[in-house]
Amino acid sequence: MSDHEYTPKSKVGKWFNDRLPLLTLGAHLTDYPTPKNLNYWWTFGGILTFCLITQIVTGIVLAMHYVAHADLAFASVEHIMRNVNYGWLIRYIHSNGASMFFLAVYIHIFRSLFYGSYKSPREVIWIIGLMIYLLMMAAAFMGYVLPWGQMSFWGATVITNLFSAIPLVGESITTWLWGAYSVDNPTLNRFFSLHYLIPFLILGLVVLHIWALHVPGNNNPVGIDIKKPSKDTVPFHPYITIKDAFALLMFMIIFAGFVFFSPNVLGHSDNYIPANPLVTPAHIVPEWYLLPFYAILRSVPDKLGGVILMFGSIFILFVLPWLDTSKVRSAVFRPIYRQFFWIFVLDVLMLGYMGAMPAEGIYLVLARVGTIYYFLHFLVVLPVVGFLEKTDPIPLSISEPVLSAGAELSLAKKENGKI
Amino acid sequence: MSKEEKKVNRRDFLFTASYTVGAVGLGAVVWPLVDQMNPDKAQQALATTEVDISQVEPGKSITVLWRGKPVFLKRRTEDEIEEARAVKMDDLPDPQRDEDRVKEGKDEWLVMLGVCTHLGCVPLKNKGDYKGWFCPCHGSHYDVSGRIRKGPAPKNMEIPKFEFVDNNTIKIG
Amino acid sequence: MEKFSFSKIICVILIFLIPNIIQSAEQTDPIKVNWSFKGLTGKFDRASLQRGFQVYKEVCSSCHSMQYLSYRNLGEPGGPEFSEKEVKAIAASIEIEDGPDSQGEMFTRPGRPSDRFKSPYPNVNASIAANGGAYPPDMSVLVKARPGGSDYIYSVLVGYEDPPVGMVLDDGVYYNKYMIGNKIKMSAPLAEGIVEYADGTETSVEQMAKDVTTFLSWAAEPELEERHKTGVKVIIYLVLLTILVYLSMKKIWSRVDSEI
């Protein structure tokens, strides 16, 4: 893993390091050569680590006071908000933390899409990242069920009913998921158990994600391979740590703004009404971060088709490294892809907006157009543009970002081949 | 001081300031996470318990729950009071007069937390070498005043805050 | 060089905000009240909270429960801040069912500050039966449970009007300008002079609606004042640390010939 042999200075350190090379790992992490041209979009990895730790710590605390029982869950959340010392603070950090986590992960993913970080040799990093994203969605969904408000209950009902679309065994699977004949106390209990488990699975995958990253090293805004260590790189500490810290603090200011001054603005007021199996709220919507997928689900007039398309919209991302046929990573040098990238961003935002609107009239039409375009982007645009696009000249190294007009693309490609 | 040195000093000051301010913030974050485990506001405001003692015969006792712990209310006989007051202070590991453990004028009523001061078990009544209480966990003997006489417990059983609302009612807490 | 730019993102966000603004203009917006507790340093008006509690106690509490509040909350900082004596007196004026006693019987006793607010009905079904099929919702978190929050609650309280010509209402259904769907099963709860304020404040419907809404807003968010106070401190701290870290970062990166 390490590029150089590290020997601890102290005798004790050496004794320990020979048996468990934690100090070598620490030295590797601090010295890790990082491209010096990383921009602020690259700070979201660190921010996401912060989000995960925050969610785990506040979550463990909340679990000390929360009661996972259909009759007591809502009351126990109110108990946390009213009686537990700093309970309101910890709960608001946790509930808004989920939104901040997704905000950060979306920026992280779109950064990867723009700069081509998912391409060879980083496909495994990308796939592990998607697994983390899937687990995040599962954790967020189950966490939203726990307060046992109206949105919790009906959100759980609608999402678990997705599985009933599976032919033949769908009904049995749904009943099995519920542990009852509707979303009920057994469902709440198992969701709590899984909600507690998943973050630790995510933590494990994060370790793999970073491990896989440290093999080829970071991509960078120019998208070319760099020699490491070299004059194109800086040691991770203190250069990247201080920059990550600065970006994290900016992020925390926004986070604190939500927690202290509008803690409920990202939630839904219906979730402060206790769950009632007899009355469905007029307008069920998932949390904002799941809206684009909700829009895709509703845009298909067929139950099974909607479910397949919704899951397909995520699973298509797993094969993205092989759908994008361009060898050039960064969109900075891909004039055509760049345009399509922004159209895609708009498309996802539009889908999100349609997910929040009632599924009727013009909203439904636009959601359908958005859904079709979503898949066209991956299945048609990416493969075709990769073949047809004439990319801009690529610099040979980060240190000379401005390339003389006559430089050959082939030279850059040759550079790409090296490690 | 040369220009170069000044520059270095300023740099050091910046880093020290950043680290210090950061550490202060981290400390401030830790406190809510620790304090949340302390008794919450509902626990702190937990109701006082009022006990009806009109049915208790001399020599008998009742046990009630207060703040999750048993409280023994014993109506002692004249003999028992005399016995408790005859004990020499030198014989007590935790010297305390029986008079100081009851309310003046209501000497027959012993109200105490039924928790062994060793490791928190509930002692059995009318057992042990001193006819008071005996803790079966590790063998502590208490007398009729609830004072420790023998065994590993270091202190007498605790007297909670209580008052007589009227002749038939005791309010604990 | 083409960048992953902020300006584009802001444009995109604006495009999506426009239909939102247009759409919200179509509904009957709740009346915007200038609440003292809104804003970064907003605080509750104590006198209004105390009057609001009186309105709740004398009017609302005959149908609406507030099961997540305890009488002790009335004396806690950031709330109506009744004195300890007043809180005890308020609690003692309520008969609370307790038990079972040593004979296994339930009994009633005067309330204590640690007791929860007494509910008007023993259970939800009883409240539905007593109110013509409509369940008077628990008011502990009512303000947080309605889009529009405090403004909406206030608007409904003052929004009773004669139905428009041509609209036929069933028995026990009333017209309300701001209620979602305009139909409400609660008759106008407030009428001028229905309570008598000890501090001599006029008891107009608007004043009482404002007071009781303030009280309900506090009930839903009893942590609001502490939250605002802590929030200001936290943001100031974070900005300060951000500046320090920014300067440190500039220093560190000055060793490298690269822009940050």
Side-chain angles (χ1 to χ4, degrees), chain A residues 246-276:
Chain A
F246 172 64
L248 174 61
L249 282 163
M250 303 277 275
F251 183 80
M252 283 167 81
I253 291 173
I254 299 169
F255 195 163
F258 278 113
V259 167
F260 292 102
F261 300 109
S262 15
N264 292 307
V265 75
L266 297 170
H268 199 291
S269 51
D270 274 348
N271 222 27
Y272 280 104
I273 302 172
N276 182 355

PDB file of all heavy atoms in Angstrom, chain A residues 246-276:
ATOM      1  N   PHE A 246     -11.241  23.565   5.766  1.00  0.00           N
ATOM      2  CA  PHE A 246     -11.869  24.838   5.393  1.00  0.00           C
ATOM      3  C   PHE A 246     -13.226  24.603   4.724  1.00  0.00           C
ATOM      4  O   PHE A 246     -14.233  25.208   5.095  1.00  0.00           O
ATOM      5  CB  PHE A 246     -10.933  25.616   4.476  1.00  0.00           C
ATOM      6  CG  PHE A 246     -11.556  26.849   3.895  1.00  0.00           C
ATOM      7  CD1 PHE A 246     -11.943  27.898   4.711  1.00  0.00           C
ATOM      8  CD2 PHE A 246     -11.768  26.953   2.521  1.00  0.00           C
ATOM      9  CE1 PHE A 246     -12.528  29.033   4.181  1.00  0.00           C
ATOM     10  CE2 PHE A 246     -12.358  28.083   1.981  1.00  0.00           C
ATOM     11  CZ  PHE A 246     -12.740  29.126   2.816  1.00  0.00           C
ATOM     12  N   ALA A 247     -13.241  23.678   3.773  1.00  0.00           N
ATOM     13  CA  ALA A 247     -14.504  23.398   3.072  1.00  0.00           C
ATOM     14  C   ALA A 247     -15.536  22.816   4.033  1.00  0.00           C
ATOM     15  O   ALA A 247     -16.723  23.161   3.986  1.00  0.00           O
ATOM     16  CB  ALA A 247     -14.247  22.425   1.930  1.00  0.00           C
ATOM     17  N   LEU A 248     -15.072  21.949   4.936  1.00  0.00           N
ATOM     18  CA  LEU A 248     -15.976  21.329   5.905  1.00  0.00           C
ATOM     19  C   LEU A 248     -16.622  22.396   6.793  1.00  0.00           C
ATOM     20  O   LEU A 248     -17.821  22.342   7.080  1.00  0.00           O
ATOM     21  CB  LEU A 248     -15.204  20.316   6.755  1.00  0.00           C
ATOM     22  CG  LEU A 248     -15.981  19.674   7.912  1.00  0.00           C
ATOM     23  CD1 LEU A 248     -17.179  18.910   7.395  1.00  0.00           C
ATOM     24  CD2 LEU A 248     -15.085  18.738   8.706  1.00  0.00           C
ATOM     25  N   LEU A 249     -15.821  23.384   7.185  1.00  0.00           N
ATOM     26  CA  LEU A 249     -16.369  24.441   8.041  1.00  0.00           C
ATOM     27  C   LEU A 249     -17.447  25.240   7.312  1.00  0.00           C
ATOM     28  O   LEU A 249     -18.479  25.583   7.889  1.00  0.00           O
ATOM     29  CB  LEU A 249     -15.244  25.353   8.527  1.00  0.00           C
ATOM     30  CG  LEU A 249     -14.431  24.759   9.675  1.00  0.00           C
ATOM     31  CD1 LEU A 249     -13.104  25.473   9.836  1.00  0.00           C
ATOM     32  CD2 LEU A 249     -15.228  24.804  10.976  1.00  0.00           C
ATOM     33  N   MET A 250     -17.210  25.520   6.032  1.00  0.00           N
ATOM     34  CA  MET A 250     -18.235  26.224   5.247  1.00  0.00           C
ATOM     35  C   MET A 250     -19.515  25.390   5.211  1.00  0.00           C
ATOM     36  O   MET A 250     -20.632  25.897   5.348  1.00  0.00           O
ATOM     37  CB  MET A 250     -17.753  26.442   3.804  1.00  0.00           C
ATOM     38  CG  MET A 250     -16.450  27.190   3.697  1.00  0.00           C
ATOM     39  SD  MET A 250     -16.681  28.962   3.786  1.00  0.00           S
ATOM     40  CE  MET A 250     -17.037  29.304   2.093  1.00  0.00           C
ATOM     41  N   PHE A 251     -19.316  24.084   4.999  1.00  0.00           N
ATOM     42  CA  PHE A 251     -20.444  23.154   4.961  1.00  0.00           C
ATOM     43  C   PHE A 251     -21.172  23.149   6.306  1.00  0.00           C
ATOM     44  O   PHE A 251     -22.408  23.153   6.366  1.00  0.00           O
ATOM     45  CB  PHE A 251     -19.892  21.766   4.636  1.00  0.00           C
ATOM     46  CG  PHE A 251     -20.928  20.689   4.488  1.00  0.00           C
ATOM     47  CD1 PHE A 251     -21.655  20.561   3.312  1.00  0.00           C
ATOM     48  CD2 PHE A 251     -21.157  19.777   5.509  1.00  0.00           C
ATOM     49  CE1 PHE A 251     -22.597  19.557   3.166  1.00  0.00           C
ATOM     50  CE2 PHE A 251     -22.092  18.776   5.370  1.00  0.00           C
ATOM     51  CZ  PHE A 251     -22.816  18.668   4.200  1.00  0.00           C
ATOM     52  N   MET A 252     -20.400  23.173   7.391  1.00  0.00           N
ATOM     53  CA  MET A 252     -20.993  23.129   8.723  1.00  0.00           C
ATOM     54  C   MET A 252     -21.804  24.395   9.018  1.00  0.00           C
ATOM     55  O   MET A 252     -22.785  24.349   9.762  1.00  0.00           O
ATOM     56  CB  MET A 252     -19.905  22.942   9.783  1.00  0.00           C
ATOM     57  CG  MET A 252     -19.401  21.515   9.868  1.00  0.00           C
ATOM     58  SD  MET A 252     -17.892  21.376  10.816  1.00  0.00           S
ATOM     59  CE  MET A 252     -18.538  21.365  12.465  1.00  0.00           C
ATOM     60  N   ILE A 253     -21.393  25.521   8.444  1.00  0.00           N
ATOM     61  CA  ILE A 253     -22.159  26.755   8.660  1.00  0.00           C
ATOM     62  C   ILE A 253     -23.560  26.600   8.063  1.00  0.00           C
ATOM     63  O   ILE A 253     -24.565  26.939   8.692  1.00  0.00           O
ATOM     64  CB  ILE A 253     -21.414  27.966   8.061  1.00  0.00           C
ATOM     65  CG1 ILE A 253     -20.146  28.236   8.882  1.00  0.00           C
ATOM     66  CG2 ILE A 253     -22.310  29.199   8.039  1.00  0.00           C
ATOM     67  CD1 ILE A 253     -19.240  29.297   8.312  1.00  0.00           C
ATOM     68  N   ILE A 254     -23.632  26.040   6.859  1.00  0.00           N
ATOM     69  CA  ILE A 254     -24.938  25.800   6.232  1.00  0.00           C
ATOM     70  C   ILE A 254     -25.739  24.792   7.065  1.00  0.00           C
ATOM     71  O   ILE A 254     -26.923  24.984   7.359  1.00  0.00           O
ATOM     72  CB  ILE A 254     -24.748  25.279   4.792  1.00  0.00           C
ATOM     73  CG1 ILE A 254     -23.999  26.331   3.968  1.00  0.00           C
ATOM     74  CG2 ILE A 254     -26.088  24.943   4.150  1.00  0.00           C
ATOM     75  CD1 ILE A 254     -23.517  25.820   2.626  1.00  0.00           C
ATOM     76  N   PHE A 255     -25.059  23.727   7.466  1.00  0.00           N
ATOM     77  CA  PHE A 255     -25.656  22.678   8.295  1.00  0.00           C
ATOM     78  C   PHE A 255     -26.255  23.305   9.559  1.00  0.00           C
ATOM     79  O   PHE A 255     -27.435  23.095   9.903  1.00  0.00           O
ATOM     80  CB  PHE A 255     -24.542  21.679   8.638  1.00  0.00           C
ATOM     81  CG  PHE A 255     -24.990  20.352   9.193  1.00  0.00           C
ATOM     82  CD1 PHE A 255     -24.115  19.266   9.192  1.00  0.00           C
ATOM     83  CD2 PHE A 255     -26.253  20.166   9.725  1.00  0.00           C
ATOM     84  CE1 PHE A 255     -24.498  18.033   9.698  1.00  0.00           C
ATOM     85  CE2 PHE A 255     -26.650  18.942  10.236  1.00  0.00           C
ATOM     86  CZ  PHE A 255     -25.751  17.885  10.231  1.00  0.00           C
ATOM     87  N   ALA A 256     -25.449  24.112  10.244  1.00  0.00           N
ATOM     88  CA  ALA A 256     -25.909  24.747  11.484  1.00  0.00           C
ATOM     89  C   ALA A 256     -27.093  25.676  11.209  1.00  0.00           C
ATOM     90  O   ALA A 256     -28.008  25.784  12.023  1.00  0.00           O
ATOM     91  CB  ALA A 256     -24.769  25.521  12.138  1.00  0.00           C
ATOM     92  N   GLY A 257     -27.073  26.326  10.061  1.00  0.00           N
ATOM     93  CA  GLY A 257     -28.199  27.192   9.696  1.00  0.00           C
ATOM     94  C   GLY A 257     -29.504  26.415   9.689  1.00  0.00           C
ATOM     95  O   GLY A 257     -30.519  26.859  10.238  1.00  0.00           O
ATOM     96  N   PHE A 258     -29.472  25.236   9.100  1.00  0.00           N
ATOM     97  CA  PHE A 258     -30.669  24.392   9.086  1.00  0.00           C
ATOM     98  C   PHE A 258     -31.032  23.939  10.498  1.00  0.00           C
ATOM     99  O   PHE A 258     -32.184  24.049  10.927  1.00  0.00           O
ATOM    100  CB  PHE A 258     -30.454  23.158   8.204  1.00  0.00           C
ATOM    101  CG  PHE A 258     -30.662  23.426   6.736  1.00  0.00           C
ATOM    102  CD1 PHE A 258     -29.608  23.372   5.842  1.00  0.00           C
ATOM    103  CD2 PHE A 258     -31.927  23.742   6.251  1.00  0.00           C
ATOM    104  CE1 PHE A 258     -29.797  23.628   4.492  1.00  0.00           C
ATOM    105  CE2 PHE A 258     -32.130  23.993   4.909  1.00  0.00           C
ATOM    106  CZ  PHE A 258     -31.054  23.935   4.029  1.00  0.00           C
ATOM    107  N   VAL A 259     -30.055  23.405  11.227  1.00  0.00           N
ATOM    108  CA  VAL A 259     -30.333  22.804  12.534  1.00  0.00           C
ATOM    109  C   VAL A 259     -30.918  23.828  13.502  1.00  0.00           C
ATOM    110  O   VAL A 259     -31.892  23.548  14.202  1.00  0.00           O
ATOM    111  CB  VAL A 259     -29.050  22.184  13.125  1.00  0.00           C
ATOM    112  CG1 VAL A 259     -29.223  21.838  14.603  1.00  0.00           C
ATOM    113  CG2 VAL A 259     -28.661  20.936  12.349  1.00  0.00           C
ATOM    114  N   PHE A 260     -30.348  25.037  13.511  1.00  0.00           N
ATOM    115  CA  PHE A 260     -30.746  25.987  14.545  1.00  0.00           C
ATOM    116  C   PHE A 260     -31.860  26.931  14.095  1.00  0.00           C
ATOM    117  O   PHE A 260     -32.585  27.462  14.916  1.00  0.00           O
ATOM    118  CB  PHE A 260     -29.540  26.806  15.005  1.00  0.00           C
ATOM    119  CG  PHE A 260     -28.532  25.989  15.757  1.00  0.00           C
ATOM    120  CD1 PHE A 260     -27.366  25.561  15.158  1.00  0.00           C
ATOM    121  CD2 PHE A 260     -28.774  25.622  17.072  1.00  0.00           C
ATOM    122  CE1 PHE A 260     -26.440  24.795  15.850  1.00  0.00           C
ATOM    123  CE2 PHE A 260     -27.859  24.856  17.775  1.00  0.00           C
ATOM    124  CZ  PHE A 260     -26.688  24.445  17.161  1.00  0.00           C
ATOM    125  N   PHE A 261     -31.973  27.163  12.790  1.00  0.00           N
ATOM    126  CA  PHE A 261     -32.915  28.208  12.377  1.00  0.00           C
ATOM    127  C   PHE A 261     -34.053  27.724  11.488  1.00  0.00           C
ATOM    128  O   PHE A 261     -35.072  28.400  11.394  1.00  0.00           O
ATOM    129  CB  PHE A 261     -32.149  29.369  11.750  1.00  0.00           C
ATOM    130  CG  PHE A 261     -31.164  29.972  12.711  1.00  0.00           C
ATOM    131  CD1 PHE A 261     -29.807  29.813  12.542  1.00  0.00           C
ATOM    132  CD2 PHE A 261     -31.618  30.649  13.837  1.00  0.00           C
ATOM    133  CE1 PHE A 261     -28.906  30.336  13.464  1.00  0.00           C
ATOM    134  CE2 PHE A 261     -30.727  31.181  14.761  1.00  0.00           C
ATOM    135  CZ  PHE A 261     -29.365  31.026  14.568  1.00  0.00           C
ATOM    136  N   SER A 262     -33.937  26.602  10.828  1.00  0.00           N
ATOM    137  CA  SER A 262     -35.135  26.013  10.202  1.00  0.00           C
ATOM    138  C   SER A 262     -35.023  24.498  10.196  1.00  0.00           C
ATOM    139  O   SER A 262     -34.889  23.882   9.153  1.00  0.00           O
ATOM    140  CB  SER A 262     -35.409  26.530   8.798  1.00  0.00           C
ATOM    141  OG  SER A 262     -34.331  27.168   8.264  1.00  0.00           O
ATOM    142  N   PRO A 263     -35.098  23.917  11.388  1.00  0.00           N
ATOM    143  CA  PRO A 263     -34.846  22.480  11.507  1.00  0.00           C
ATOM    144  C   PRO A 263     -35.879  21.606  10.816  1.00  0.00           C
ATOM    145  O   PRO A 263     -35.605  20.441  10.548  1.00  0.00           O
ATOM    146  CB  PRO A 263     -34.858  22.246  13.018  1.00  0.00           C
ATOM    147  CG  PRO A 263     -35.629  23.382  13.592  1.00  0.00           C
ATOM    148  CD  PRO A 263     -35.374  24.548  12.696  1.00  0.00           C
ATOM    149  N   ASN A 264     -37.050  22.154  10.530  1.00  0.00           N
ATOM    150  CA  ASN A 264     -38.086  21.292   9.951  1.00  0.00           C
ATOM    151  C   ASN A 264     -38.371  21.598   8.492  1.00  0.00           C
ATOM    152  O   ASN A 264     -39.274  21.019   7.893  1.00  0.00           O
ATOM    153  CB  ASN A 264     -39.376  21.412  10.759  1.00  0.00           C
ATOM    154  CG  ASN A 264     -39.211  20.816  12.143  1.00  0.00           C
ATOM    155  OD1 ASN A 264     -38.791  19.676  12.275  1.00  0.00           O
ATOM    156  ND2 ASN A 264     -39.481  21.599  13.166  1.00  0.00           N
ATOM    157  N   VAL A 265     -37.612  22.525   7.908  1.00  0.00           N
ATOM    158  CA  VAL A 265     -37.949  22.977   6.562  1.00  0.00           C
ATOM    159  C   VAL A 265     -37.734  21.868   5.526  1.00  0.00           C
ATOM    160  O   VAL A 265     -38.438  21.811   4.517  1.00  0.00           O
ATOM    161  CB  VAL A 265     -37.155  24.258   6.209  1.00  0.00           C
ATOM    162  CG1 VAL A 265     -35.706  23.944   5.892  1.00  0.00           C
ATOM    163  CG2 VAL A 265     -37.801  24.985   5.052  1.00  0.00           C
ATOM    164  N   LEU A 266     -36.817  20.943   5.795  1.00  0.00           N
ATOM    165  CA  LEU A 266     -36.568  19.868   4.829  1.00  0.00           C
ATOM    166  C   LEU A 266     -37.463  18.653   5.088  1.00  0.00           C
ATOM    167  O   LEU A 266     -37.494  17.729   4.289  1.00  0.00           O
ATOM    168  CB  LEU A 266     -35.092  19.444   4.888  1.00  0.00           C
ATOM    169  CG  LEU A 266     -34.091  20.542   4.490  1.00  0.00           C
ATOM    170  CD1 LEU A 266     -32.668  20.111   4.810  1.00  0.00           C
ATOM    171  CD2 LEU A 266     -34.222  20.878   3.016  1.00  0.00           C
ATOM    172  N   GLY A 267     -38.164  18.679   6.200  1.00  0.00           N
ATOM    173  CA  GLY A 267     -39.063  17.563   6.512  1.00  0.00           C
ATOM    174  C   GLY A 267     -40.467  17.861   6.012  1.00  0.00           C
ATOM    175  O   GLY A 267     -40.708  18.823   5.298  1.00  0.00           O
ATOM    176  N   HIS A 268     -41.397  17.025   6.404  1.00  0.00           N
ATOM    177  CA  HIS A 268     -42.776  17.212   5.987  1.00  0.00           C
ATOM    178  C   HIS A 268     -43.636  17.356   7.234  1.00  0.00           C
ATOM    179  O   HIS A 268     -43.538  16.558   8.156  1.00  0.00           O
ATOM    180  CB  HIS A 268     -43.232  16.023   5.150  1.00  0.00           C
ATOM    181  CG  HIS A 268     -44.437  16.334   4.322  1.00  0.00           C
ATOM    182  ND1 HIS A 268     -45.664  16.553   4.889  1.00  0.00           N
ATOM    183  CD2 HIS A 268     -44.595  16.487   3.003  1.00  0.00           C
ATOM    184  CE1 HIS A 268     -46.538  16.811   3.934  1.00  0.00           C
ATOM    185  NE2 HIS A 268     -45.901  16.784   2.777  1.00  0.00           N
ATOM    186  N   SER A 269     -44.505  18.387   7.247  1.00  0.00           N
ATOM    187  CA  SER A 269     -45.266  18.654   8.465  1.00  0.00           C
ATOM    188  C   SER A 269     -46.165  17.478   8.849  1.00  0.00           C
ATOM    189  O   SER A 269     -46.445  17.276  10.025  1.00  0.00           O
ATOM    190  CB  SER A 269     -46.092  19.929   8.312  1.00  0.00           C
ATOM    191  OG  SER A 269     -46.846  19.873   7.127  1.00  0.00           O
ATOM    192  N   ASP A 270     -46.602  16.686   7.866  1.00  0.00           N
ATOM    193  CA  ASP A 270     -47.464  15.546   8.181  1.00  0.00           C
ATOM    194  C   ASP A 270     -46.795  14.541   9.117  1.00  0.00           C
ATOM    195  O   ASP A 270     -47.469  13.737   9.755  1.00  0.00           O
ATOM    196  CB  ASP A 270     -47.895  14.810   6.903  1.00  0.00           C
ATOM    197  CG  ASP A 270     -49.137  15.442   6.304  1.00  0.00           C
ATOM    198  OD1 ASP A 270     -49.757  16.273   6.997  1.00  0.00           O
ATOM    199  OD2 ASP A 270     -49.476  15.125   5.156  1.00  0.00           O
ATOM    200  N   ASN A 271     -45.454  14.573   9.174  1.00  0.00           N
ATOM    201  CA  ASN A 271     -44.801  13.589  10.026  1.00  0.00           C
ATOM    202  C   ASN A 271     -44.858  13.966  11.503  1.00  0.00           C
ATOM    203  O   ASN A 271     -44.391  13.222  12.349  1.00  0.00           O
ATOM    204  CB  ASN A 271     -43.355  13.340   9.594  1.00  0.00           C
ATOM    205  CG  ASN A 271     -43.021  11.864   9.647  1.00  0.00           C
ATOM    206  OD1 ASN A 271     -43.901  11.026   9.504  1.00  0.00           O
ATOM    207  ND2 ASN A 271     -41.760  11.540   9.887  1.00  0.00           N
ATOM    208  N   TYR A 272     -45.452  15.120  11.817  1.00  0.00           N
ATOM    209  CA  TYR A 272     -45.719  15.441  13.215  1.00  0.00           C
ATOM    210  C   TYR A 272     -47.144  15.043  13.601  1.00  0.00           C
ATOM    211  O   TYR A 272     -47.633  15.381  14.669  1.00  0.00           O
ATOM    212  CB  TYR A 272     -45.462  16.924  13.487  1.00  0.00           C
ATOM    213  CG  TYR A 272     -43.984  17.207  13.665  1.00  0.00           C
ATOM    214  CD1 TYR A 272     -43.238  17.812  12.662  1.00  0.00           C
ATOM    215  CD2 TYR A 272     -43.325  16.831  14.835  1.00  0.00           C
ATOM    216  CE1 TYR A 272     -41.880  18.042  12.816  1.00  0.00           C
ATOM    217  CE2 TYR A 272     -41.976  17.064  15.011  1.00  0.00           C
ATOM    218  CZ  TYR A 272     -41.255  17.676  13.999  1.00  0.00           C
ATOM    219  OH  TYR A 272     -39.907  17.903  14.165  1.00  0.00           O
ATOM    220  N   ILE A 273     -47.836  14.343  12.689  1.00  0.00           N
ATOM    221  CA  ILE A 273     -49.118  13.724  13.028  1.00  0.00           C
ATOM    222  C   ILE A 273     -48.839  12.242  13.257  1.00  0.00           C
ATOM    223  O   ILE A 273     -48.227  11.599  12.408  1.00  0.00           O
ATOM    224  CB  ILE A 273     -50.133  13.891  11.876  1.00  0.00           C
ATOM    225  CG1 ILE A 273     -50.332  15.374  11.562  1.00  0.00           C
ATOM    226  CG2 ILE A 273     -51.450  13.205  12.211  1.00  0.00           C
ATOM    227  CD1 ILE A 273     -51.156  15.615  10.314  1.00  0.00           C
ATOM    228  N   PRO A 274     -49.244  11.703  14.400  1.00  0.00           N
ATOM    229  CA  PRO A 274     -48.951  10.286  14.666  1.00  0.00           C
ATOM    230  C   PRO A 274     -49.536   9.381  13.581  1.00  0.00           C
ATOM    231  O   PRO A 274     -50.582   9.687  12.997  1.00  0.00           O
ATOM    232  CB  PRO A 274     -49.632  10.033  16.015  1.00  0.00           C
ATOM    233  CG  PRO A 274     -49.795  11.375  16.640  1.00  0.00           C
ATOM    234  CD  PRO A 274     -49.951  12.344  15.514  1.00  0.00           C
ATOM    235  N   ALA A 275     -48.849   8.281  13.310  1.00  0.00           N
ATOM    236  CA  ALA A 275     -49.270   7.346  12.266  1.00  0.00           C
ATOM    237  C   ALA A 275     -50.711   6.905  12.483  1.00  0.00           C
ATOM    238  O   ALA A 275     -51.115   6.593  13.593  1.00  0.00           O
ATOM    239  CB  ALA A 275     -48.340   6.129  12.274  1.00  0.00           C
ATOM    240  N   ASN A 276     -51.469   6.907  11.397  1.00  0.00           N
ATOM    241  CA  ASN A 276     -52.868   6.488  11.460  1.00  0.00           C
ATOM    242  C   ASN A 276     -53.165   5.586  10.264  1.00  0.00           C
ATOM    243  O   ASN A 276     -53.248   6.054   9.139  1.00  0.00           O
ATOM    244  CB  ASN A 276     -53.771   7.723  11.439  1.00  0.00           C
ATOM    245  CG  ASN A 276     -55.237   7.362  11.555  1.00  0.00           C
ATOM    246  OD1 ASN A 276     -55.597   6.181  11.557  1.00  0.00           O
ATOM    247  ND2 ASN A 276     -56.080   8.372  11.653  1.00  0.00           N
TER     248      ASN A 276
END
